[in-house]
Amino acid sequence: MRWRGLALIMLGGWGLALAQDPPSAGLHVRYVAGTGLLVNASGVVTQWWDVAGSGRHLDRRGGSPRSLAVTANGTNREVLRLGGAAWLCATSGAFGALTNDRTVVVRSRLAAGGDGFLFDGSTSVGMTRGRVRQGNWETGYQPSPIANATNQDVPTVAVSTGAWQTHAFSFDHQGA
């Protein structure tokens, strides 16, 4: 499966932050909350720049994504808050194709209630995504067409609202 896009869509008030900054070498893309966020005069995040230097910026948005200062484990950080129907994404042309196995790692804290996608790599051959649905994290692949987008993926672990959690989503490249 080739990933050709990435969308971060939040329907339940999620914030994202990496626990520790990994090295950029070998990464397709890296987004670090509080780093590379561009905001407009109203304080709405309009772009999230890739800090790995690959030029894969999340430059399309909906709703009102915000940068938010938080303290977690005694450390002050800026996180990206995507509450309600806020999202950031890149087009497939800007994001590029992933031609090897991939892992997406996210540190997040979810508010109570709501379902939504953390990421969605959609192509003409299928959809690879991670999301929250009915109180559980899910990850999986759905074949085209887009009508399959509402299908359930594999539930992995129950959502723990209000607590910081680290999630790793690993996908094998299928050669498509």
Side-chain angles (χ1 to χ4, degrees), residues 42-149:
S42 299
V44 174
V45 174
T46 57
Q47 290 188 42
W48 193 2
W49 287 49
D50 163 33
V51 296
S54 65
R56 294 179 176 95
H57 308 314
L58 301 178
D59 57 1
R60 294 178 180 233
R61 73 168 172 88
S64 298
R66 303 268 180 181
S67 179
L68 179 69
V70 299
T71 300
N73 300 326
T75 302
N76 295 325
R77 281 277 181 130
E78 292 288 320
V79 298
L80 177 61
R81 182 182 176 115
L82 298 165
W87 53 270
L88 289 167
C89 74
T91 64
S92 59
F95 199 76
L98 304 180
T99 57
N100 296 311
D101 297 348
R102 289 293 176 217
T103 299
V104 176
V105 179
V106 176
R107 181 142 173 90
S108 62
R109 181 176 67 184
L110 279 65
D115 292 348
F117 286 92
L118 175 62
F119 62 88
D120 175 13
S122 296
T123 72
S124 60
V125 296
M127 299 158 275
T128 307
R129 68 258 182 105
R131 68 177 172 176
V132 169
R133 177 179 157 135
Q134 300 174 350
N136 289 299
W137 283 94
E138 292 183 355
T139 186
Y141 166 79
Q142 296 294 330
S144 289
I146 196 68
N148 290 332

